Amino acid sequence: GCGVLASSCGMDKVTMKSLFVEAGLPICKHVWFLRSQWQKNPAKILRKVTAEIGLPCFVKPANLGSSVGVSRADKKSLSEAIDLAAEYDRKIIVEEELMAREIECAVLGNDEPKASLPGEYVVYDEAARFLDYTEKYSSTGNVSFVVPAPLSKSLTTKIQRMAIRAFQSVDGSGLARVDFFLPRNGGGLVVNELNTMPGLTEVSGYPKMWE
């Protein structure tokens, strides 16, 4: 598995995105700030988020996974969403909302890593605007994971190459899962995040993609 450096960079979404940019990988718009900055001047933070990211948006603790502490926020709920994220971390990240397909790709290896065929989470409940903890780990019937994802051969190859580049950007080793957004409006593919210890349960995407 990944060492200390890769694991740390893979856990901190702010550092991770910086490394993606350095590697020439496209990412979504985002801003970040500290809990102390939010507590000191919340009005300034709200203006910053609204001006630079827009609404609705996604508010996340920078160092958690499985959608814990994550909220989809509009103007009315933005302050509450930031308060929730701040309960879990001293660093908060806010990302733009993309109406997009959610694609994943598994990476396996060390100096010459390989990428699996991509998979896609398909959400059947229109009210579910994102995959929260419950949707990810329970059999609600609202979500299915399709492997291989219905993509063109050229796009599949592009995702595999970008997954490997993301893996190498954090100096990964062993295994990781790279998550992508594919905008439905025809916008370009973006890397969302990398998980250095992906789920390995019976409902997890990583083993299904390699299978």
Side-chain angles (χ1 to χ4, degrees):
C2 289
V4 172
L5 177 64
S7 299
S8 299
C9 295
M11 179 58 72
D12 188 310
K13 292 178 175 61
V14 175
T15 299
M16 180 199 310
K17 290 180 185 296
S18 297
L19 291 171
F20 289 166
V21 171
E22 180 71 20
L25 292 166
I27 62 172
C28 66
K29 290 192 300 182
H30 70 283
V31 296
W32 69 276
F33 47 89
L34 300 177
R35 176 171 54 206
S36 58
Q37 295 173 312
W38 165 246
Q39 293 171 339
K40 182 178 180 180
N41 195 339
K44 181 179 179 180
I45 297 296
L46 292 174
R47 288 195 300 270
K48 178 182 178 71
V49 170
T50 303
E52 297 185 24
I53 303 301
L55 299 169
C57 60
F58 283 93
V59 183
K60 306 176 179 181
N63 290 277
L64 268 180
S66 297
S67 297
V68 175
V70 175
S71 303
R72 178 181 182 272
D74 55 20
K75 184 176 181 180
K76 183 178 180 180
S77 60
L78 181 57
S79 292
E80 183 180 349
I82 295 174
D83 284 338
L84 175 64
E87 291 180 15
Y88 293 95
D89 199 353
R90 60 180 285 276
K91 187 186 293 186
I92 295 99
I93 185 168
V94 182
E95 300 173 354
E96 66 174 322
E97 180 181 56
L98 294 174
M99 303 307 293
R101 296 166 63 183
E102 296 194 34
I103 310 294
E104 297 186 348
C105 188
V107 180
L108 183 68
N110 294 312
D111 292 351
E112 298 181 5
K114 307 296 183 184
S116 72
L117 288 174
E120 178 177 7
Y121 274 104
V122 179
V123 181
Y124 300 108
D125 182 2
E126 292 298 325
R129 300 308 297 269
F130 73 102
L131 294 175
D132 60 14
Y133 186 91
T134 301
E135 293 289 356
K136 286 182 175 179
Y137 296 106
S138 64
S139 301
T140 61
N142 294 329
V143 178
S144 66
F145 190 68
V146 178
V147 185
L151 301 164
S152 67
K153 185 176 180 180
S154 61
L155 188 53
T156 294
T157 299
K158 182 178 181 179
I159 288 170
Q160 291 173 319
R161 289 175 177 170
M162 288 173 64
I164 291 173
R165 199 188 316 166
F167 183 73
Q168 292 173 329
S169 76
V170 301
D171 196 21
S173 61
L175 75 167
R177 191 193 74 237
V178 184
D179 300 344
F180 297 83
F181 288 135
L182 182 60
R184 298 184 184 278
N185 63 2
L189 182 73
V190 299
V191 182
N192 180 33
E193 62 182 45
L194 177 146
N195 292 271
T196 56
M197 183 46 69
L200 297 170
T201 71
E202 62 183 7
V203 298
S204 299
Y206 188 91
K208 290 180 178 179
M209 285 184 282
W210 280 116
E211 181 182 13

